[in-house]
Amino acid sequence: MDPILLISIAASLVTLIYSAFLVVRILRLPAGDEKVQEIAKAIAEGAAAYLARQNKTVAVVAIVLTAVLWATLGVYAAGGFLIGALASVLAGYSGMMVAVRSNSRTTEAAKKGLPEALYVAFQGGSVTGLIVGGLALLSISIVIFLSTVLGFEPNMALVALGFGGSLISVFARLGGGIYTKGADVGTDIVGKIEKGIPEDDPRNPGVVADLVGDNVGDDAGMAADLFETYVVTAVSAILLGSLLFGGGANVLFPLLVSAISLIACLVGTFFVRLSNSKRIMPALYKGVGATAIFATIGVVLALRILPPNIPQLSDSSILGIFLVGVAITTGMIVTTEFFTGKNSGPVRKVAEAGASGHATNIIAGLALSMKATLFPILLIAVGILASYILGGLFGIALGAVSMLSLTAIVVAIDAFGPITDNAGGIAEMSGQSESVRKVTDSLDAVGNTTKAVTKAYAIASAGLASLVLFAAYTEELARRGMTESFSLSDPYVLVGLFLGASLPYLFAGFAMEAVGRASQAIVAEIRRQFKEIKGILAGTARPEYAKCVDIVTKAALREMIIPALIPVITPIAVGLLLGSRALGGLLMGIIITGLFVAISMTTGGAAWDNAKKYIEDGNLGGKGSVAHQSAVTGDTVGDPYKDTAGPAINPMIKVANVVALLLAPFLV
């Protein structure tokens, strides 16, 4: 067996075993009193029920696509697709089920203080991150191992593996996003705006559905998103290396980088600790910094022990490319925190604009979302140029792999967010003391920023991964004798470019409308309960939480189908009807506008959210003021921006590119 393949399998298994150990340790922690456990159980049951129904719906599509792949590309491509789909489902489901059991334990730990609550929440998030990285690396390694044992060409099986992960990701991101924001927006409209009751108030019939949504959207959805980005990036790098260099180079070197970094992520989780300043964000960043340092040391050692032998790439160039990937990740974190941090200048401006009314808050948030696209795009552009100068086209691929190598630790700090959000909700609903609520609120505020940071990381990595996929598409066509230039003077390319550029807007529009319709359904149900069940507002009657969960579940599953099929059907139609040049233009258009729309939506939505929290801390008149009422409206508008439409564009971009790569053999 190839030593890199052996190292990859070993690293993934070690990570998964350690994740299982973390699960056991978390489950042994105190889960709180009877009321806390009752609420946590309702959240866990709602989340599990939603995912089960979502997976049944997606399974129908997956079975059809498996049959199509088997008939057109063979049994190994169909097998790769199934491995990718099942591993993606497992990553999202297992991570989420740990998260919904960590929330009550975080609430209980908050009674002891901030360090204890941070420890429990981050340990829960670490399980999701490590499972995502471990399963992604293991699934790639399994397909390559099977290709050596069974003697088949692994390229199409690997692309199909990425397609399986991408398909699950777009459904998970979109369905989970529609669920979480349909529940959140509907619950806020009736509870906070119409009835004037606090967020997470147990009198609100939609509150459990809202807490369930945090998990299915921000935990399971993000896990599936970054699982497929990790897989697609590594697969596209391996595929591009084999197309560029043939069998002479060690094209599995990206797997070695991923394996080393995965272990570094595991080690990095031990460095998340509060300092004397009691600042939470720096404590989380310690883990990211430690991971980057250990990963860099590991890559240096790997270059000495297992040199990659890649043409025109020296050891120093490869190390430089790896550092470029780390630098892009760091830059995205800094930029996102600048635009979305609760106490940052841009967020304060959005909050201050709300003092004049609802419209000015919306205008300020939209303006911020547009301006916030420049710095991330500049960062990505510099990273692409630096990687290309150091290593050519394969250098860009290796830079993308290097960036994605930090996935496990980044997902860990993201999954920390919904755990702390749930912990705060449980504390409010169970009537915990003010000191407990203060601890959970401080964790929740940081969780909003970590979720925004992870979304920015996912978008940047999606952009780089899509560029590598596009390069693999052009190289695959060239290998089959079709040298396409994709010139803008070619009307087929131009038509494809326009069509592709429109798709992220169309996709986002469908997603936003879906959230609106889901919200309307739950608003009607909450209003009905307040009207018909006497005593809810007085606290003498229990709301029918399960009905709200059921309504928003049905709405999310119904609404996700059509937009999720857009990136699958459109490339096939354009490729077969207009040819490979138009399809190339389509991919370029999707990548360009998709990046801008995704960055704008996720950043603007997060800024609106934290502007509200800034005011709730007592600034600009605090809760109940004009600024706060305006900020609630801004947050409600921003919710589907940052948690549904924006994040779902990431897998949408990659699905379209993967489908094009699978379609390439039929365009000759």
Side-chain angles (χ1 to χ4, degrees):
M1 184 187 294
D2 187 296
I4 291 181
L5 195 57
L6 184 62
I7 292 170
S8 299
I9 293 173
S12 57
L13 290 177
V14 166
T15 304
L16 292 173
I17 291 170
Y18 179 69
S19 299
F21 166 75
L22 282 182
V23 172
V24 172
R25 189 160 67 181
I26 289 169
L27 294 179
R28 287 177 176 172
L29 295 173
D33 58 36
E34 185 177 344
K35 191 170 184 179
V36 167
Q37 292 187 46
E38 180 186 354
I39 298 166
K41 183 181 178 182
I43 296 169
E45 289 176 349
Y50 172 78
L51 274 193
R53 291 167 70 170
Q54 176 181 272
N55 290 335
K56 287 179 183 177
T57 304
V58 178
V60 176
V61 179
I63 290 170
V64 173
L65 290 174
T66 301
V68 171
L69 289 171
W70 194 327
T72 55
L73 295 172
V75 64
Y76 299 120
F81 173 80
L82 283 177
I83 291 173
L86 291 173
S88 180
V89 168
L90 182 59
Y93 185 83
S94 56
M96 189 203 71
M97 295 314 292
V98 173
V100 296
R101 286 162 176 77
S102 301
N103 51 19
S104 61
R105 289 165 172 82
T106 300
T107 303
E108 183 67 15
K111 296 177 181 178
K112 299 178 181 178
L114 182 60
E116 290 80 4
L118 171 63
Y119 173 79
V120 175
F122 182 72
Q123 292 294 299
S126 296
V127 173
T128 303
L130 295 174
I131 286 177
V132 167
L135 284 177
L137 185 59
L138 184 62
S139 61
I140 300 170
S141 303
I142 286 174
V143 171
I144 296 173
F145 173 73
L146 290 175
S147 73
T148 60
V149 173
L150 300 177
F152 64 87
E153 170 60 44
N155 285 3
M156 274 302 162
L158 286 171
V159 176
L161 173 76
F163 183 39
S166 297
L167 181 75
I168 297 301
S169 174
V170 74
F171 276 109
R173 257 304 186 195
L174 192 58
I178 294 169
Y179 182 105
T180 183
K181 292 303 108 178
D184 194 358
V185 171
T187 301
D188 282 355
I189 286 175
V190 183
K192 290 163 67 174
I193 296 177
E194 294 182 6
K195 299 297 182 181
I197 59 178
E199 187 172 357
D200 299 326
D201 193 300
R203 295 172 293 174
N204 193 325
V207 69
V208 172
D210 185 12
L211 293 172
V212 169
D214 293 327
N215 295 286
V216 301
D218 286 324
D219 198 296
M222 177 58 77
D225 185 357
L226 280 170
F227 171 90
E228 65 94 13
T229 304
Y230 192 112
V231 169
V232 164
T233 304
V235 163
S236 57
I238 293 169
L239 182 61
L240 185 61
S242 65
L243 292 172
L244 290 172
F245 309 125
N250 191 348
V251 296
L252 293 183
F253 186 74
L255 278 189
L256 182 59
V257 173
S258 299
I260 291 168
S261 300
L262 184 58
I263 297 300
C265 289
L266 190 157
V267 176
T269 61
F270 291 97
F271 286 81
V272 175
R273 293 288 185 275
L274 278 177
S275 63
N276 292 332
S277 67
K278 301 295 182 183
R279 295 177 61 198
I280 302 168
M281 209 69 195
L284 296 172
Y285 287 157
K286 286 178 187 176
V288 179
T291 298
I293 292 170
F294 285 117
T296 303
I297 294 171
V299 170
V300 171
L301 294 175
L303 289 171
R304 292 176 177 269
I305 299 169
L306 289 170
N309 188 31
I310 299 175
Q312 302 176 351
L313 262 78
S314 65
D315 289 358
S316 59
S317 296
I318 292 173
L319 179 60
I321 291 168
F322 179 81
L323 293 175
V324 167
V326 173
I328 295 174
T329 300
T330 304
M332 292 301 294
I333 289 173
V334 172
T335 300
T336 305
E337 188 165 0
F338 172 74
F339 281 106
T340 65
K342 187 174 70 171
N343 294 304
S344 69
V347 168
R348 287 201 302 270
K349 287 183 180 179
V350 174
E352 290 163 2
S356 303
H358 298 259
T360 47
N361 176 278
I362 298 296
I363 291 169
L366 288 174
L368 181 148
S369 72
M370 295 175 188
K371 292 192 296 181
T373 60
L374 176 62
F375 291 107
I377 294 298
L378 284 176
L379 191 63
I380 294 170
V382 170
I384 290 170
L385 288 175
S387 298
Y388 184 80
I389 291 169
L390 289 169
L393 199 56
F394 188 72
I396 298 175
L398 199 55
V401 170
S402 301
M403 183 179 179
L404 264 297
S405 65
L406 302 180
T407 291
I409 191 71
V410 174
V411 173
I413 67 172
D414 173 80
F416 162 90
I419 292 172
T420 58
D421 193 333
N422 271 203
I426 291 171
E428 178 75 25
M429 292 183 69
S430 60
Q432 299 297 317
S433 66
E434 184 65 28
S435 61
V436 171
R437 185 66 188 179
K438 184 177 180 181
V439 170
T440 57
D441 281 351
S442 62
L443 291 171
D444 184 23
V446 170
N448 279 331
T449 302
T450 63
K451 287 185 284 188
V453 164
T454 309
K455 291 182 180 79
Y457 171 81
I459 293 165
S461 60
L464 290 177
S466 299
L467 287 174
V468 178
L469 284 169
F470 180 74
Y473 169 72
T474 60
E475 291 296 326
E476 180 66 22
L477 292 178
R479 186 175 74 88
R480 296 175 182 273
M482 299 177 66
T483 53
E484 306 291 8
S485 62
F486 301 110
S487 169
L488 290 180
S489 62
D490 185 332
Y492 284 92
V493 174
L494 201 58
V495 167
L497 187 66
F498 284 147
L499 288 173
S502 71
L503 290 184
Y505 289 96
L506 178 66
F507 181 88
F510 272 119
M512 295 285 286
E513 283 182 342
V515 171
R517 284 191 288 268
S519 300
Q520 289 168 10
I522 199 170
V523 163
E525 173 60 22
I526 295 172
R527 285 173 176 167
R528 181 197 68 80
Q529 291 196 32
F530 275 125
K531 182 179 180 180
E532 296 180 4
I533 303 175
K534 306 302 180 182
I536 287 182
L537 279 177
T540 58
R542 177 184 171 86
E544 296 175 345
Y545 300 120
K547 285 194 175 182
C548 290
V549 172
D550 186 60
I551 285 172
V552 77
T553 296
K554 290 177 179 176
L557 296 178
R558 182 176 61 250
E559 299 284 354
M560 74 179 182
I561 300 295
I562 292 177
L565 292 177
I566 288 175
V568 177
I569 295 173
T570 308
I572 296 174
V574 170
L576 295 180
L577 294 176
L578 299 178
S580 60
R581 302 197 307 279
L583 182 54
L586 180 92
L587 300 181
M588 289 188 287
I590 290 174
I591 293 170
I592 295 300
T593 60
L595 278 175
F596 282 92
V597 174
I599 292 171
S600 175
M601 284 185 156
T602 54
T603 307
W608 266 315
D609 193 347
N610 273 341
K612 179 195 70 175
K613 284 185 165 48
Y614 173 76
I615 295 170
E616 288 175 346
D617 281 348
N619 300 296
L620 302 173
K623 292 182 180 181
S625 64
V626 172
H628 183 244
Q629 293 170 5
S630 303
V632 170
T633 301
D635 179 36
T636 305
V637 173
D639 273 341
Y641 257 49
K642 68 180 174 65
D643 289 326
T644 307
I649 288 174
N650 300 339
M652 178 256 188
I653 296 171
K654 287 166 287 182
V655 167
N657 279 269
V658 172
V659 169
L661 198 50
L662 289 170
L663 195 62
F666 303 98
L667 300 178
V668 178

